[in-house]
Amino acid sequence: LHAWFNPFRAANLSDTAALAATHFARQRPELTRVHCTQLWFDPGEPEVQDRAIAVIRDVVLRYEIDAVHIDDFFYPYPSGTCPGLDFADSATYARYVNAGGLLARADWRRDNVNRFVQRVYAEVHDAESAVRFGVSPFGIWRPGNPAGITGLDAYATIYADSRHWLQSGWVDYLAPQL
């Protein structure tokens, strides 16, 4: 049994009125970002990552599961409904830069995801060493890798560096979405 999580997607905007009072987006709306027709938690906010990891750890400790699995919605995919819309994390990125951060925005976003994946792996294994951790990344890591592959660039568009996670030992498995 794999417990599947979408740690940063909060809701569709059409559903936000139906969110329970205990929903994290209701409790901490300042950590959410409206993106086209969806409400997202900002992966650059440390409290967002902490909360998602606490929820995942709680599930690992309370339930007999075989694996924790996260989807590839780290940052929003491009949308035909809102073409060219960038994720609204300018204030979060500005705080990072003002605190001395040197990464370009795309690299900072990728670093947010990388640190999250690394932390989830460590927390899952700390809570229960037999539980595995995996990700279902978009099926194309980078166009042209291998030669002839075309399509969305997950590395540059949703800031998912699945090859790095695998090479770094931060996942037990990948289940690409093809």
Side-chain angles (χ1 to χ4, degrees):
L1 175 66
H2 291 210
W4 186 301
F5 295 89
N6 277 302
F8 303 122
R9 284 177 42 188
N12 289 320
L13 291 179
S14 60
D15 300 334
T16 56
L19 294 178
T22 55
H23 193 287
F24 194 50
R26 278 271 184 80
Q27 293 176 341
R28 299 299 306 276
E30 73 278 10
L31 300 176
T32 64
R33 309 291 178 256
V34 171
H35 186 81
C36 196
T37 61
Q38 297 179 330
L39 187 65
W40 283 73
F41 292 112
D42 185 343
E45 292 283 2
E47 288 180 74
V48 166
Q49 291 201 18
D50 292 346
R51 175 66 178 247
I53 289 169
V55 168
I56 291 168
R57 184 178 177 89
D58 182 57
V59 169
V60 171
L61 291 171
R62 276 208 248 183
Y63 301 97
E64 279 191 47
I65 60 172
D66 298 302
V68 164
H69 193 96
I70 57 176
D71 208 345
D72 68 339
F73 286 97
F74 301 109
Y75 282 87
Y77 276 83
S79 167
T81 305
C82 302
L85 181 64
D86 194 24
F87 188 68
D89 59 358
S90 295
T92 313
Y93 180 65
R95 273 198 322 272
Y96 161 78
V97 170
N98 291 338
L102 301 174
L103 295 175
R105 193 169 187 179
D107 294 328
W108 169 77
R109 286 176 173 171
R110 210 168 1 269
D111 186 58
N112 291 331
V113 175
N114 288 344
R115 285 182 296 103
F116 180 75
V117 168
Q118 182 182 26
R119 283 183 64 200
V120 173
Y121 177 86
E123 288 287 337
V124 165
H125 287 282
D126 179 63
E128 178 53 63
S129 62
V131 173
R132 297 290 156 241
F133 170 61
V135 181
S136 270
F138 185 74
I140 300 172
W141 172 66
R142 307 272 346 237
N145 192 321
I149 296 299
T150 61
L152 181 104
D153 186 342
Y155 178 89
T157 306
I158 59 171
Y159 310 99
D161 192 354
S162 55
R163 187 169 125 177
H164 179 63
W165 310 331
L166 190 61
Q167 290 173 338
S168 299
W170 297 343
V171 292
D172 294 308
Y173 66 90
L174 294 174
Q177 297 185 53
L178 304 175

